[in-house]
Amino acid sequence: MKYMKLGTKPDTFYTEEAVRSVVSDVPADLIIHVNNTKYQLHKFPLLLKCGLLQRLCSDTDDGDEAPVPVALHDIPGGEEAFELCAKFCYGISISIGASSLVPALLAARFLRMTEATAKGNLVAKLEAFFDTCVLAGWKDSIAALQAAWRLSGWGESRVVQPCLDSIVDKILTPPAKVTWSFTYTRPGYAARKTKHQSVPRDWWTEDVSELDVEVFRSVISTVRASGLLPPPLIGEALHVYASKHLADPLRAAGSAGVGDEEDEAVVARQRRVLESIVTMIPGEHGAVTGRFLLRLLRAAIRVGASPSTRAQLVRQAGSQLDEARAEDLLVPMPSGEGYDIGAAEAVLEHFLAQFRRPGGGAAPEERRRMSAAMGRVARTFDEYLRTIAALDRDLPVGRFVDLVECLPDIARSDHDGLYYAIDVYLKEHPELSKADKKRLCRLIDCRKLSPEVRAQAISNDRMPLRTIVQLLFVEQERTMGSAANRAAGASHGTAATVAPADLASTDAISSRLAARATKEEGPAASSAEEHKSEVHRPRRDHARVADGAAVAAMTRSLSASTKATTPAGRKERTPEERGSRMRNKQ
């Protein structure tokens, strides 16, 4: 950044008893009040260059020895800007940069330090520095624009508009022609940076993120209107700005709620920033990522954004849900306790709405794209179910079932993710009734489980017995199907046999199943033995009886299927004999 140095004398201003003065042998004859600061200065150097002070002191008697009081409470820039102008009048050395230029220029204009008052006055010097140095620089233009906005908003158009034009012109400059310094802190960029490396397309996004949101909106609107930058580049600028000015509720997990300790002014400012960013999102699909949209939705719920803002984010995030991860769907409540399940449901509903539109004329490529997107969303949502089951211990079973059923069955090509989610919920809620466990596990299609997950589920003690029976039937069908395939591939009448591994697996499954049934019926059986009298004998659990019958049927079926696939005339070997035979072969 560039600086301008004026004056040569050393700084002799000092403070004594809350009064600012300058070292001089001449008594002060001018008292100036600027807000809460009192200055004891001299007419001679100040009136020579300040047209306003000349007018205010024109009615005073030169023979009056009492200092003349003057109030300048409305001077732009306050005490700091006035003192810069006063030091210039005394010839004291001052340094002016892009940030201090604007308040000094506005104060000098207020004091009428123009060429009409004195040649080589301060306004002319500052305007020349502004035109030749500040507007020519990138960071200088941004610093001057930000300073002007904070002082007077859009009121000082003689500074704000030239800065805006300079910034937009530089943003639209092709990256190959960018020669000025800029801020770029992307991970890995500094390590890869070489003398001949090309400038990244988004080189300007971090510096403009320093601007107030209203000025930032003006810059983005002007750049978009030019049509020279692609929408994703505009979206990247919005992402950088949001990352700097909006806190992500997920990163602040466990902190106090919005209404507890956060300053309401901060919340209001973040609400204004968020709603402005949403209005700036380009309408083109893919201009921003689905993950960024979900982050904005989390922030919108946290700061209490308007319903229209939240509805727009839900709609846009739903159209790009296939780009999200499971953690992106976690929306903390504003209170900081629990998660907003309804927000995730609404986003999924808007995603699914795309598939309900008439699509008979869709091109094959589009159908394949939508099918792939549905598969990604199904996996992501099942992972979200698994995460929310672990994080939200107060989630009712009915609400969890509703979440599972939000995704249609056709969307899930397999139920592995759904099984893991339900298993986590069962683990986190051991107090669930048997009926609720069955209600949950009925959501799993045992035929859509992979062999590895099905084997894990069969040995899972948290699964209801009825679910394990269903899993075993599926496993039986798989075993018989494998035997049938081997029989079809056998050559010239060679008998197809069940592989020893399959027989051993079947025996192990039957043994585990019988042990599980005995374990669950144990309390009822012991109770029956203790009470000999029919009058005092407790009634057995009918559901347990039904499950026990199913277990017995399953065991008989497994044994029958094993015998059916054993060659005729050959005695079925015991598990011990089969194991010995396999060892001998080895």
Side-chain angles (χ1 to χ4, degrees):
M1 297 181 72
K2 298 179 176 63
Y3 292 89
M4 178 178 66
K5 185 177 180 180
L6 299 173
T8 57
K9 296 179 181 180
D11 189 353
T12 54
F13 271 68
Y14 67 96
T15 303
E16 183 177 352
E17 296 181 356
V19 177
R20 292 285 287 169
S21 302
V22 62
V23 175
S24 175
D25 296 334
V26 180
D29 55 0
L30 183 63
I31 297 178
I32 298 178
H33 296 271
V34 180
N35 298 327
N36 297 322
T37 304
K38 179 180 178 181
Y39 290 88
Q40 290 184 350
L41 304 174
H42 304 86
K43 292 181 183 179
F44 173 69
L46 292 177
L47 269 60
L48 286 178
K49 296 182 180 295
C50 299
L52 177 63
L53 293 180
Q54 289 179 10
R55 185 178 65 82
L56 293 176
C57 297
S58 60
D59 297 335
T60 61
D61 187 358
D62 293 339
D64 191 357
E65 296 182 358
V68 178
V70 176
L72 298 177
H73 299 307
D74 296 332
I75 186 170
E79 297 91 326
E80 292 183 5
F82 169 76
E83 193 161 315
L84 278 175
C85 295
K87 288 180 178 179
F88 172 78
C89 295
Y90 278 96
I92 294 174
S93 176
I94 57 175
S95 181
I96 305 291
S99 298
S100 58
L101 165 72
V102 176
L105 178 59
L106 298 183
R109 287 173 177 169
F110 179 84
L111 294 171
R112 301 179 189 174
M113 300 176 70
T114 61
E115 294 298 294
T117 304
K119 294 297 183 181
N121 216 340
L122 184 57
V123 170
K125 293 182 180 296
L126 293 178
E127 287 179 345
F129 177 65
F130 177 70
D131 293 335
T132 59
C133 296
V134 173
L135 293 181
W138 165 249
K139 292 187 177 181
D140 298 278
S141 297
I142 291 177
L145 176 59
Q146 185 72 333
W149 174 262
R150 289 174 177 172
L151 276 175
S152 59
W154 297 113
E156 190 52 52
S157 59
R158 289 177 293 179
V159 175
V160 171
Q161 194 58 50
C163 288
L164 276 174
D165 294 340
S166 173
I167 291 170
V168 171
D169 287 343
K170 290 177 175 60
I171 291 175
L172 298 179
T173 301
K177 296 182 179 181
V178 173
T179 58
W180 46 82
S181 174
F182 56 87
T183 304
Y184 198 79
T185 59
R186 301 297 195 281
Y189 176 75
R192 298 192 307 268
K193 188 175 181 181
T194 62
K195 183 177 180 180
H196 303 288
Q197 184 181 12
S198 60
V199 174
R201 293 192 311 162
D202 59 342
W203 62 268
W204 51 275
T205 55
E206 289 191 42
D207 286 321
V208 298
S209 68
E210 300 289 340
L211 298 171
D212 185 87
V213 67
E214 293 299 327
V215 185
F216 176 75
R217 185 212 292 271
S218 181
V219 171
I220 294 298
S221 300
T222 308
V223 169
R224 285 187 62 188
S226 70
L228 298 178
L229 297 184
L233 191 52
I234 302 297
E236 176 63 17
L238 298 179
H239 181 270
V240 172
Y241 194 89
S243 300
K244 190 176 189 66
H245 296 276
L246 293 176
D248 187 350
L250 273 186
R251 303 296 174 261
S255 63
V258 171
D260 295 338
E261 297 180 0
E262 281 193 272
D263 188 358
E264 288 298 327
V266 174
V267 175
R269 182 181 61 82
Q270 291 200 351
R271 186 187 306 117
R272 180 170 61 92
V273 168
L274 182 134
E275 292 178 349
S276 297
I277 289 176
V278 173
T279 62
M280 288 185 274
I281 296 176
E284 293 83 356
H285 184 84
V288 295
T289 65
R291 301 193 66 193
F292 176 56
L293 290 167
L294 287 169
R295 174 180 175 173
L296 291 180
L297 179 60
R298 290 194 297 270
I301 292 175
R302 179 177 176 83
V303 301
S306 66
S308 60
T309 299
R310 283 179 287 179
Q312 179 180 343
L313 288 172
V314 166
R315 183 172 62 255
Q316 290 182 296
S319 66
Q320 297 178 240
L321 183 57
D322 58 306
E323 303 171 7
R325 300 177 185 174
E327 64 176 10
D328 298 322
L329 288 170
L330 294 173
V331 181
M333 297 293 287
S335 62
E337 298 179 359
Y339 295 88
D340 191 339
I341 307 297
E345 279 183 309
V347 172
L348 178 62
E349 178 62 27
H350 276 274
F351 172 79
L352 296 175
Q354 303 175 97
F355 295 84
R356 300 192 187 102
R357 300 167 188 160
E365 294 80 7
E366 178 65 14
R367 289 198 296 270
R368 283 194 293 269
R369 185 195 69 79
M370 296 182 70
S371 177
M374 178 67 84
R376 289 193 295 270
V377 169
R379 290 189 292 272
T380 299
F381 197 72
D382 283 344
E383 187 178 348
Y384 164 74
L385 292 173
R386 183 178 181 179
T387 304
I388 203 69
L391 294 178
D392 195 346
R393 286 282 289 111
D394 297 327
L395 183 62
V397 63
R399 195 74 180 89
F400 186 77
V401 170
D402 291 341
L403 275 177
V404 173
E405 293 176 341
C406 282
L407 200 63
D409 291 338
I410 194 174
R412 292 184 172 97
S413 58
D414 64 73
H415 276 209
D416 289 2
L418 179 58
Y419 161 76
Y420 286 125
I422 291 177
D423 185 44
V424 169
Y425 190 89
L426 294 175
K427 180 181 178 181
E428 297 295 329
H429 299 79
E431 74 284 354
L432 281 182
S433 66
K434 191 173 183 180
D436 284 338
K437 291 182 180 180
K438 290 182 178 179
R439 180 185 178 189
L440 278 174
C441 293
R442 275 198 297 267
L443 299 170
I444 302 173
D445 186 345
C446 299
R447 300 178 190 278
K448 286 190 175 183
L449 294 179
S450 64
E452 296 78 10
V453 174
R454 190 163 55 244
Q456 177 183 339
I458 289 173
S459 60
N460 189 344
D461 291 338
R462 286 186 289 271
M463 293 289 109
L465 194 57
R466 184 180 298 274
T467 302
I468 294 184
V469 169
Q470 294 171 352
L471 289 165
L472 287 170
F473 271 116
V474 173
E475 188 69 18
Q476 178 193 11
E477 289 179 354
R478 185 192 69 82
T479 303
M480 295 178 66
S482 299
N485 290 336
R486 285 193 294 270
S491 60
H492 303 293
T494 303
T497 61
V498 178
D502 287 340
L503 293 172
S505 174
T506 301
D507 290 338
I509 291 171
S510 301
S511 301
R512 257 196 327 265
L513 190 58
R516 171 77 179 270
T518 303
K519 179 180 179 182
E520 292 198 7
E521 291 185 355
S526 61
S527 178
E529 286 296 327
E530 292 174 0
H531 299 274
K532 301 294 184 179
S533 172
E534 290 291 338
V535 177
H536 297 94
R537 183 173 300 154
R539 297 171 59 187
R540 299 182 64 187
D541 188 342
H542 293 290
R544 185 178 297 150
V545 172
D547 288 344
V551 171
M554 184 68 235
T555 306
R556 290 194 299 271
S557 177
L558 286 171
S559 300
S561 65
T562 304
K563 292 178 180 179
T565 52
T566 303
R570 174 178 155 189
K571 181 179 178 182
E572 181 184 353
R573 296 184 180 90
T574 65
E576 291 78 5
E577 292 173 338
R578 287 195 293 269
S580 175
R581 181 179 177 85
M582 291 178 66
R583 286 193 296 271
N584 291 336
K585 286 184 177 182
Q586 293 176 352

